[in-house]
Amino acid sequence: MKRYLKKLRPLICIALFVGVIWIVFHVTAEYPIVGEPVSYPVNQLDGFTLSMTEGAWTPFRGHTFRYEIAIQSEEVYRLTMGDGKNGQYLDRLVNGQWHRLERPEAIPDMVDWVTQVGGPDTLSFESKFTQRTDYYGTRLEPGTYRLVLELTADDGSSHYLAEEFHVKNSIGIR
């Protein structure tokens, strides 16, 4: 009997460890809510190209990736954050239609900042998107998504840049 217990002890420890990890993943999971369909045109700014690097995932921060806007234009636009507005959005493709994801929690009062994007001296703009700190929870369901940046022109009109990415499972981008 003791011989069998010695052989089972490592298996029991591994099963307990896997069980604790599974519980932590499920307790910390926060999924954004699929909202209303959106139909705004994207990537129609001449001389502005959005690109993203492959992201990383952690159970407590969700997906994180860097993005860059390559600029070959003298036009100037603004990316606004704060005052109830967040110029970065996530959309999800559902049945051939893009839907804006809603944040599962309210955005707290954040420091207002406006960044100038473009102009004669600007060649690129770099930043990062972190799912948790941008208030989109910590998980994404498998599917096709896009990061959308809303740029505002001097006349107040909005223009959108977008880059698609795919989530193979709820813990990784591919």
Side-chain angles (χ1 to χ4, degrees):
M1 185 73 171
K2 284 186 178 185
R3 182 173 55 169
Y4 294 117
L5 285 176
K6 282 185 178 181
K7 290 182 179 181
L8 285 176
R9 189 175 296 156
L11 292 175
I12 292 169
C13 289
I14 290 171
L16 285 173
F17 179 74
V18 169
V20 167
I21 296 296
W22 183 83
I23 289 170
V24 167
F25 273 28
H26 282 48
V27 168
T28 61
E30 294 179 49
Y31 291 89
I33 302 160
V34 176
E36 296 297 318
V38 292
S39 61
Y40 43 75
V42 297
N43 299 332
Q44 293 187 340
L45 284 177
D46 291 332
F48 288 78
T49 306
L50 176 63
S51 62
M52 293 180 357
T53 61
E54 183 157 337
W57 180 85
T58 63
F60 303 109
R61 291 190 337 204
H63 299 281
T64 300
F65 41 82
R66 295 199 160 286
Y67 63 85
E68 177 182 9
I69 302 173
I71 303 167
Q72 297 176 340
S73 173
E74 293 192 8
E75 297 291 320
V76 177
Y77 295 90
R78 293 180 310 281
L79 177 62
T80 305
M81 306 291 263
D83 193 28
K85 182 177 173 105
N86 184 343
Q88 300 178 132
Y89 305 104
L90 279 183
D91 291 348
R92 181 174 181 197
L93 188 62
V94 178
N95 296 327
Q97 173 70 48
W98 288 105
H99 293 258
R100 167 117 354 126
L101 295 181
E102 297 176 9
R103 294 168 173 93
E105 57 186 79
I107 299 175
D109 292 335
M110 47 197 289
V111 176
D112 296 346
W113 61 269
V114 177
T115 301
Q116 175 179 313
V117 179
D121 299 327
T122 308
L123 300 175
S124 68
F125 170 79
E126 294 182 26
S127 190
K128 77 175 184 177
F129 173 87
T130 302
Q131 188 179 349
R132 178 77 186 146
T133 56
D134 284 312
Y135 304 98
Y136 282 104
T138 58
R139 306 286 195 285
L140 294 175
E141 306 244 349
T144 302
Y145 294 84
R146 67 181 179 185
L147 173 69
V148 179
L149 301 179
E150 180 180 359
L151 302 178
T152 308
D154 286 337
D155 64 3
S157 61
S158 293
H159 303 274
Y160 300 92
L161 295 177
E163 178 72 15
E164 290 184 24
F165 62 97
H166 303 281
V167 175
K168 282 178 69 172
N169 53 50
S170 63
I171 61 170
I173 295 177
R174 292 287 176 253

